[in-house]
Amino acid sequence: MDRVSSFDEPLKKLLGGATAKVMAEHLDLHTVGDLLHHYPRRYEERGKLTALADLPLDEHVTVVAQVADARILMFNNGRGKRLEVTLTDGSGRLQLVFFGHGVHKPHKELLPGRQAMFAGKVSVFNRKMQLAHPTYQLLDASDADEATEAVDAFAGRLLPIYPACKQLDSWRIAKAVDAVLPSAQDAVDPLPASLREGRGFTPLPEALLKVHRPQTKADVEDAKARLKWDEAFVLQVALARRRYADTQLPAVARRPVAYGLLDAFDAKLPFTLTEGQEKVSKEIFDDLATEHPMHRLLQGEVGSGKTMVALRAMLTVVDAGGQAAMLAPTEVLAQQHHRSITEMMGELAEGGMLGGSDRGTKVVLLTGSMGMAARRQALLDLVTGEAGIVIGTHALIEDKVQFHDLGLVVVDEQHRFGVEQRDALRSKGKQPPHLLVMTATPIPRTVAMTVFGDLETSVLDQLPAGRSPIASHVVPAKDKPHFLARAWQRVREEVENGHQAYVVCPRIGDDAEEAEGKKGKAKKKAAEEDPEKRPPLAVLDIADELRKGALAGLSVEVLHGRMHPDEKDDVMRRFAAGDVDVLVATTVIEVGVNVPNATAMVIMDADRFGVSQLHQLRGRVGRGSAPGLCLLVSEAHEASPARARLSAVAATLDGFELSRIDLEQRREGDVLGQAQSGVRSSLRMLTVIDDEEVIAAAREEAVAVVAADPELEHLPELRTVLAALLDKDREEYLDKG
């Protein structure tokens, strides 16, 4: 059997159909290789063999003993079952206890007279030593040698505990691993020999053996160090090849032009750019001036002025004869960007129109819900080159949209846009356009290196002058209802001082959602029994309550995604103009909304939002000269993880710190999900947040390897492992040439 195929062997062949089916459906394990990379989550220590007379409290022990008696006891009015087993080994006695569904198997197997090994943690109950739910292995008393061998193999070992599912427990997964472990010898080693030897790594087959069947804790550490490196290195090679392939693509260099649109724009700015904005702009201008496509991630704190930096890049491209497109995730956001950019540019955004500047250009909006006439005109302005800047939703990606000469694509809020959509828009240029990706969710350095590894990164960490601090507080609505009453009082005070406020709810809410019928009734009943299960608070309900109650007499309006675009636009305009006191909204206001006069925000059911989302929302206040206030209302219990999350948000305004907390709580799943774009989430051992050094070192090695051998011609093993990591439809992306 060749080296690759034993890893590709379907599990059905070795384990039988039933087990293989459960593994495929519930654990996403299909081949021998998949199972060998299904690593133990932790290890139980069995301890050396201990005589019953010498049992230490609170320690993991392994004992060999004989069953003296076993009996089932009922409790809780016959609803609960408990199996109690008494053991003896000549030196003393010990009680075992099993509960619930766990009593059936031991009740059948642990019969008086049977000898077995038992492993577990010693505790005391009713002044007696006991082991609760121990693992055990029956011994064949007739074969003394075999029994001795089994005892040696069982005791003193680290027992691997695997990520399991209801249908397949860790014990059975361990047995399945035993069946495929011989195939570890056929593992294809992705690390180049020089790297492996230079860093003194354990050979891969040995690492797989050690991670699944360690003799000592040192074995586990050894194996982990090696397997983490493999994951980091292979992923970084994939990203380094993508970056290398991009540097081989041609692009039109877009160099700044003196006395053009950018100079005219800068001259009319009422403020000076921050040092950070100047620095990041220079990085972008340098990239735009090269004949390879720029691929840059611009990340910055809420309100650090990313849009300003992006706009200056767009104006540079227009000066150089190209067009720039800005892609936003929602219509509301596209409209807001269009509004704020045309306001910032003034007459420069009215090129070719009466009263427009002779150095100006046309700035058009393109969204799915536009009327036919406006849409036709926008498409015409793009194809003729009349419009230098277009702002839109993914309607920009449609086949019908043609550009005269697309030079730059700016993508806002990357985490909502996959690589495929980026590519589709990039294919609109005669040559690949330059790409600038903006995110307002600060990303820890390691995540940026792993998820956005195909992009160079610029960070804006200064807030522009004139931004005010935001005070944040948790309002425990359930424990202290008077705190909530005070929150509404604070909102009223802000309005009386001439300011405005947002109230954010997780849900829109309407009759359709509350439709009676079985589902509605069941939800209602569940909510009455357990307040945690009640549906999240809704915009329409809260707005209604506030108009009638706590905020009566104030102008309260709603904003949510199901409103007609014109209606949304109208509400936003009136709020921006100061005609609306309080805006009750869903997260449609999360990004891009800029109303400097809004100073207070109340977030209802705040525990139902993620950390970075709360940080985003909070960034909508404190945008002017008056200080901001953000109140996080929650009914979550004080000791719950949800409340801990809210306290973390209230305690710091540092988005990078919060994104780190967020990642520690959610781990990588959500973060790497879509963003790895065609790379299967291959991180089983590596944790992005804890293994910064490994990722940084692996990235350095990967860059060196790809620079020396872009096609990996001299590293066939690495090519094989990469091919397994990449989805089929993305393979050609990396295997160009």
Side-chain angles (χ1 to χ4, degrees):
M1 194 185 292
D2 70 39
R3 298 199 303 163
V4 185
S5 63
S6 77
F7 260 49
D8 289 341
E9 191 82 48
L11 287 171
K12 196 158 69 177
K13 274 193 178 174
L14 285 124
L15 307 178
T19 305
K21 188 169 185 250
V22 171
M23 286 195 165
E25 286 176 7
H26 298 280
L27 298 168
D28 196 22
L29 306 174
H30 307 272
T31 63
V32 167
D34 290 344
L35 183 52
L36 284 173
H37 289 303
H38 187 70
Y39 306 130
R41 178 180 285 137
R42 59 189 173 84
Y43 302 87
E44 286 286 3
E45 295 181 55
R46 284 173 168 160
K48 295 281 177 241
L49 275 186
T50 316
L52 295 187
D54 310 325
L55 289 180
L57 195 60
D58 272 346
E59 276 189 31
H60 288 279
V61 298
T62 302
V63 298
V64 173
Q66 199 169 31
V67 177
D69 68 65
R71 59 198 172 281
I72 282 198
L73 304 171
M74 300 298 211
F75 61 93
N76 203 359
N77 291 334
R79 286 202 296 274
K81 270 186 195 173
R82 180 167 82 237
L83 171 66
E84 286 184 0
V85 179
T86 307
L87 303 181
T88 173
D89 70 347
S91 75
R93 293 168 85 78
L94 174 67
Q95 188 167 301
L96 313 179
V97 60
F98 300 86
F99 293 100
H101 297 302
V103 306
H104 306 304
K105 191 167 172 257
H107 189 222
K108 275 192 270 184
E109 293 182 335
L110 299 178
L111 305 171
R114 282 304 309 250
Q115 198 179 30
M117 290 179 290
F118 302 88
K121 193 175 181 185
V122 184
S123 57
V124 170
F125 181 71
N126 275 348
R127 289 191 294 222
K128 276 188 193 162
M129 293 270 201
Q130 73 165 24
L131 298 183
H133 277 287
T135 46
Y136 64 88
Q137 192 170 321
L138 299 171
L139 296 174
D140 183 357
S142 62
D143 187 336
D145 287 346
E146 198 179 305
T148 309
E149 218 173 280
V151 169
D152 288 346
F154 187 89
R157 283 277 183 93
L158 293 166
L159 171 69
I161 305 296
Y162 287 91
C165 59
K166 200 165 78 180
Q167 297 77 359
L168 201 63
D169 59 22
S170 171
W171 191 265
R172 280 167 66 203
I173 293 171
K175 274 206 146 104
V177 169
D178 283 338
V180 301
L181 214 45
S183 298
Q185 293 309 318
D186 303 327
V188 176
D189 196 326
L191 297 191
S194 57
L195 193 161
R196 198 170 57 233
E197 285 148 22
R199 290 186 175 265
F201 283 131
T202 305
L204 184 55
E206 194 185 313
L208 287 169
L209 229 65
K210 280 180 169 176
V211 80
H212 288 292
R213 298 295 171 262
Q215 302 284 338
T216 61
K217 286 182 180 173
D219 281 354
V220 176
E221 291 315 307
D222 227 23
K224 279 187 171 177
R226 168 67 216 252
L227 296 167
K228 276 182 180 183
W229 242 92
D230 282 18
E231 287 177 10
F233 178 71
V234 172
L235 182 57
Q236 291 302 338
V237 168
L239 293 165
R241 289 190 74 194
R242 203 180 281 175
R243 283 197 303 277
Y244 180 83
D246 286 333
T247 63
Q248 303 309 297
L249 294 173
V252 179
R254 312 282 178 175
R255 296 184 181 88
V257 172
Y259 309 115
L261 198 49
L262 178 65
D263 284 355
F265 174 75
D266 282 351
K268 63 194 278 302
L269 276 181
F271 51 81
T272 53
L273 298 173
T274 65
E275 213 176 293
Q277 285 174 321
E278 292 277 16
K279 179 176 138 291
V280 169
S281 289
K282 184 181 182 320
E283 290 171 353
I284 292 170
F285 293 157
D286 289 349
D287 280 359
L288 289 173
T290 64
E291 290 176 359
H292 306 296
M294 162 171 83
H295 283 98
R296 193 165 277 282
L297 173 69
L298 171 58
Q299 53 165 329
E301 277 293 7
V302 175
S304 57
K306 291 180 298 294
T307 311
M308 171 63 69
V309 168
L311 176 55
R312 294 182 76 242
M314 288 157 83
L315 296 174
T316 301
V317 169
V318 175
D319 275 342
Q323 290 168 295
M326 183 185 253
L327 202 51
T330 64
E331 292 214 349
V332 169
L333 198 48
Q335 287 160 352
Q336 280 155 21
H337 275 315
H338 182 253
R339 190 180 310 124
S340 66
I341 282 174
T342 47
E343 277 167 11
M344 279 197 261
M345 286 175 65
E347 77 280 2
L348 296 173
E350 296 160 5
M353 295 189 236
L354 265 175
S357 161
D358 53 351
R359 279 189 285 187
T361 187
K362 219 173 191 183
V363 179
V364 300
L365 176 69
L366 188 65
T367 62
S369 65
M370 280 168 77
M372 275 313 291
R375 188 178 169 76
R376 208 174 290 125
Q377 184 59 52
L379 289 171
L380 187 65
D381 288 341
L382 287 182
V383 80
T384 58
E386 186 82 11
I389 294 176
V390 58
I391 294 149
T393 54
H394 46 262
L396 280 178
I397 301 170
E398 289 171 15
D399 293 342
K400 290 193 283 287
V401 181
Q402 296 300 322
F403 289 84
H404 176 64
D405 178 13
L406 181 60
L408 170 67
V409 174
V410 178
V411 179
D412 189 17
E413 284 309 288
Q414 160 65 21
H415 59 281
R416 306 184 194 194
F417 258 102
V419 168
E420 286 73 16
Q421 288 146 313
R422 273 172 19 193
D423 288 352
L425 191 53
R426 275 164 43 184
S427 67
K428 300 274 182 196
K430 294 187 177 83
Q431 287 190 335
H434 299 281
L435 175 71
L436 180 65
V437 170
M438 297 197 296
T439 173
T441 309
I443 305 162
R445 176 170 161 262
T446 36
V447 182
M449 280 196 297
T450 307
V451 178
F452 300 111
D454 57 335
L455 303 170
E456 299 298 326
T457 306
S458 292
V459 178
L460 275 175
D461 45 15
Q462 277 175 303
L463 287 188
R467 291 299 303 255
S468 302
I470 305 168
S472 306
H473 303 285
V474 179
V475 177
K478 204 172 180 182
D479 314 342
K480 299 179 177 162
H482 59 286
F483 275 40
L484 184 57
R486 175 71 185 122
W488 298 129
Q489 215 177 324
R490 283 292 290 110
V491 168
R492 200 175 263 285
E493 285 164 13
E494 289 298 312
V495 173
E496 281 164 4
N497 288 331
H499 298 302
Q500 292 157 281
Y502 297 100
V503 176
V504 182
C505 304
R507 197 169 62 101
I508 299 171
D510 62 12
D511 298 329
E513 280 185 359
E514 305 304 334
E516 278 304 324
K518 282 184 185 168
K519 264 190 186 164
K521 282 178 181 159
K523 273 187 182 168
K524 223 172 188 180
K525 187 167 183 287
E528 280 161 14
E529 286 168 16
D530 181 1
E532 295 288 305
K533 287 194 180 133
R534 71 162 170 76
L537 294 171
V539 167
L540 301 177
D541 304 341
I542 294 292
D544 212 35
E545 280 174 33
L546 291 175
R547 285 187 190 113
K548 290 173 186 162
L551 301 182
L554 302 185
S555 156
V556 177
E557 293 275 3
V558 300
L559 181 72
H560 57 76
R562 282 214 298 270
M563 288 162 65
H564 186 277
D566 293 348
E567 215 183 332
K568 279 190 251 186
D569 219 31
D570 177 55
V571 171
M572 269 320 299
R573 264 181 215 286
R574 287 189 296 115
F575 187 64
D579 301 337
V580 173
D581 297 325
V582 178
L583 188 62
V584 184
T586 55
T587 55
V588 291
I589 61 149
E590 180 183 348
V591 274
V593 177
N594 187 17
V595 180
N597 192 45
T599 52
M601 176 177 284
V602 180
I603 303 178
M604 307 303 290
D605 275 344
D607 48 280
R608 311 234 182 172
F609 297 97
V611 169
S612 57
Q613 204 172 25
L614 290 169
H615 183 57
Q616 282 285 351
L617 287 165
R618 169 171 64 184
R620 302 302 106 208
V621 295
R623 297 176 83 85
S625 50
L629 173 69
C630 179
L631 301 174
L632 306 166
V633 179
S634 167
E635 290 187 6
H637 190 273
E638 197 169 355
S640 67
R643 274 287 285 279
R645 244 190 2 249
L646 295 183
S647 302
V649 174
T652 178
L653 289 172
D654 181 342
F656 286 92
E657 176 58 28
L658 285 174
S659 64
R660 220 182 156 84
I661 292 168
D662 195 18
L663 192 59
E664 276 166 2
Q665 288 179 341
R666 295 187 303 159
R667 303 314 292 180
E668 286 72 34
D670 311 357
V671 183
L672 297 185
Q674 284 307 297
Q676 267 191 13
S677 60
V679 176
R680 288 201 205 111
S681 186
S682 55
L683 306 192
R684 296 189 174 90
M685 187 63 81
L686 192 76
T687 51
V688 170
I689 203 75
D690 301 326
D691 297 314
E692 193 155 339
E693 289 84 12
V694 177
I695 292 170
R699 183 180 171 107
E700 230 167 88
E701 294 277 12
V703 169
V705 164
V706 172
D709 182 4
E711 294 304 315
L712 309 179
E713 281 167 18
H714 306 297
L715 299 166
E717 292 85 0
L718 180 53
R719 277 186 78 101
T720 302
V721 175
L722 262 180
L725 181 71
L726 295 165
D727 285 352
K728 290 282 173 279
D729 58 337
R730 302 295 294 170
E731 244 169 69
E732 76 277 4
Y733 195 102
L734 288 182
D735 291 338
K736 280 190 186 128

